[in-house]
Amino acid sequence: MMASLKKPRSANLARTLPYEMQQSLGIKARATDCITRDVANKIDNKHAITETYGVTIEQVQRYLQRIRQHPLRPEKKAIEIAQKKAEIAIETENKRTEEHRTRQANVSEVLDKVFGDLAKCEPDLWSHRAFLMLMGLAYEKLSTNEDELSTEELVKLTKALGDACKVQPKVKTDMGVRQKGQEQTDPIPKKFAEIVQQVYGTNFNETEDPREGGVGG
Amino acid sequence: MRNGRKTREIKRVRNETLVALRVIYPGPIQADQLFRSLLVLFPTLEFDHFKRDLHYLCDKTYVQRVETEGDHDPALIPWRRRWFRLTTSGIELADSCITDPALDES
């Protein structure tokens, strides 16, 4: 009996307490804390323990002390598991962020290729809501991995394009206000026409109908 | 008042907002579109929280609101439809040329 008390080897060392001793002490063998608490409660009954099992209460206390300090104590293990879980969660989170950022970089490349140099749209194209809206939608769709435009979005886009066509904007530049008909230094990227055609399936030709701002139907 | 959000999450949202705006720099983008793209990373993000973060980034001059000529009364434009873009210090931060301890996640 003493041999098993001297060499604690696992977290469930509580179970190595002799069954009779557990019964006598009225403790649950599975929970170390329970043992500690219960033994502490019954510590005044030391004579009974010694008489029944031939061990002193000091020996039992030493044994319990050893359990408390054991590296594989269940409580300690639970903390380690929780820490590991938190680390894994952070790693997963970082991985997702990394993936999202890679996607953002790709979106940036696509937008740059499709819409041309974005610097061109600032500030000259701020009033061209259609351009910005289209670019924004492209960004949103690409970055959220959706591939279809909803009807509502198409309506929004149509309205914006319609507004842009009706009101020929006075574009503010560093040189002052530029009126319609004045020479423009290509404020809309060339591929914009292609994009509009792809979205609407209609022509986009500035030379055909300049009164309507270049959007044909 | 953090509305139950953790510090780490707040910093991540703000950083990702800068990263997203960097993609289209120097162009602006609407808050709603920005918010929707962030939902991929933060599915539980609420627009009110995001609005607060945008406000913060604007106050720190990393982000600026872009008012288009069509906005007769900019104050009346709903937040979701407002346009935002990075400022020079915003792009510096997004490109890691400068650091801000308040946005440092480590």
Side-chain angles (χ1 to χ4, degrees):
Chain A
M1 184 171 62
M2 286 306 295
S4 65
L5 288 176
K6 277 179 187 171
K7 292 184 179 176
R9 281 183 299 176
S10 74
N12 281 331
L13 281 174
R15 292 185 193 172
T16 61
L17 272 179
Y19 180 72
E20 296 80 17
M21 189 190 279
Q22 292 172 26
Q23 290 289 312
S24 167
L25 293 170
I27 59 178
K28 291 174 187 171
R30 284 175 187 275
T32 317
D33 284 342
C34 256
I35 293 175
T36 317
R37 226 177 12 254
D38 288 359
V39 170
N41 291 339
K42 294 178 184 301
I43 212 143
D44 52 340
N45 201 11
K46 56 176 87 167
H47 294 298
I49 292 173
T50 313
E51 279 169 21
T52 316
Y53 303 107
V55 290
T56 62
I57 193 69
E58 286 76 22
Q59 281 172 320
V60 175
Q61 280 173 333
R62 261 208 306 279
Y63 171 76
L64 290 170
Q65 184 69 28
R66 217 177 295 162
I67 287 178
R68 272 190 224 114
Q69 290 169 352
H70 197 278
L72 291 177
R73 190 181 174 208
E75 227 177 64
K76 215 168 185 178
K77 209 172 181 183
I79 292 168
E80 276 170 17
I81 289 170
Q83 278 173 347
K84 212 159 201 174
K85 271 185 184 172
E87 277 171 22
I88 291 169
I90 289 173
E91 263 175 37
T92 316
E93 210 172 59
N94 288 344
K95 203 176 166 191
R96 276 181 61 196
T97 309
E98 205 54 49
E99 280 169 6
H100 187 68
R101 286 189 178 180
T102 310
R103 193 175 184 88
Q104 298 272 348
N106 294 338
V107 170
S108 140
E109 212 169 291
V110 171
L111 287 180
D112 198 47
K113 277 186 183 163
V114 173
F115 291 95
D117 187 2
L118 287 170
K120 280 186 185 172
C121 73
E122 194 277 328
D124 285 357
L125 284 175
W126 282 0
S127 52
H128 289 256
R129 280 168 166 272
F131 174 83
L132 295 175
M133 198 164 277
L134 193 59
M135 194 197 66
L137 276 176
Y139 166 78
E140 185 193 320
K141 297 297 163 191
L142 288 170
S143 63
T144 55
N145 199 20
E146 291 175 27
D147 43 23
E148 284 184 11
L149 289 175
S150 69
T151 314
E152 192 190 337
E153 285 161 349
L154 266 180
V155 169
K156 257 171 38 179
L157 198 58
T158 313
K159 275 183 187 170
L161 274 172
D163 289 345
C165 297
K166 277 181 202 162
V167 186
Q168 184 73 298
K170 293 175 181 176
V171 184
K172 265 187 187 172
T173 65
D174 295 339
M175 306 295 288
V177 177
R178 187 172 64 215
Q179 299 288 345
K180 177 190 170 187
Q182 285 183 337
E183 192 187 346
Q184 293 186 7
T185 53
D186 192 19
I188 300 177
K190 284 174 189 169
K191 289 194 176 177
F192 183 62
E194 287 173 26
I195 295 160
V196 171
Q197 191 167 4
Q198 279 168 12
V199 172
Y200 291 99
T202 58
N203 294 326
F204 178 87
N205 194 340
E206 288 180 358
T207 53
E208 275 180 13
D209 190 2
R211 280 177 309 158
E212 293 301 310
V215 177
Chain B
M1 196 181 92
R2 295 192 302 179
N3 300 318
R5 297 165 76 203
K6 289 180 185 167
T7 312
R8 184 177 147 78
E9 193 198 326
I10 294 173
K11 284 184 180 181
R12 283 187 69 218
V13 171
R14 288 172 185 171
N15 276 325
E16 290 312 313
T17 305
L18 293 177
V19 170
L21 284 169
R22 178 172 164 264
V23 168
I24 50 156
Y25 181 81
I29 193 166
Q30 271 185 320
D32 191 37
Q33 286 162 341
L34 196 54
F35 171 66
R36 285 196 217 177
S37 80
L38 284 175
L39 282 178
V40 175
L41 268 185
F42 311 100
T44 55
L45 183 65
E46 288 176 27
F47 188 79
D48 281 347
H49 294 165
F50 174 64
K51 187 175 137 185
R52 213 165 151 262
D53 292 331
L54 260 183
H55 232 305
Y56 167 83
L57 291 172
C58 287
D59 287 346
K60 280 212 119 177
T61 68
Y62 293 142
V63 172
Q64 73 179 60
R65 187 184 166 191
V66 174
E67 288 172 12
T68 58
E69 287 186 2
D71 299 342
H72 301 297
D73 194 346
L76 292 179
I77 304 290
W79 262 82
R80 283 178 184 269
R81 284 174 50 204
R82 292 183 186 181
W83 300 87
F84 293 92
R85 57 167 289 195
L86 280 187
T87 60
T88 47
S89 51
I91 190 77
E92 281 166 7
L93 187 66
D95 284 338
S96 307
C97 298
I98 57 168
T99 53
D100 184 344
L103 291 172
D104 191 9
E105 287 180 48
S106 55

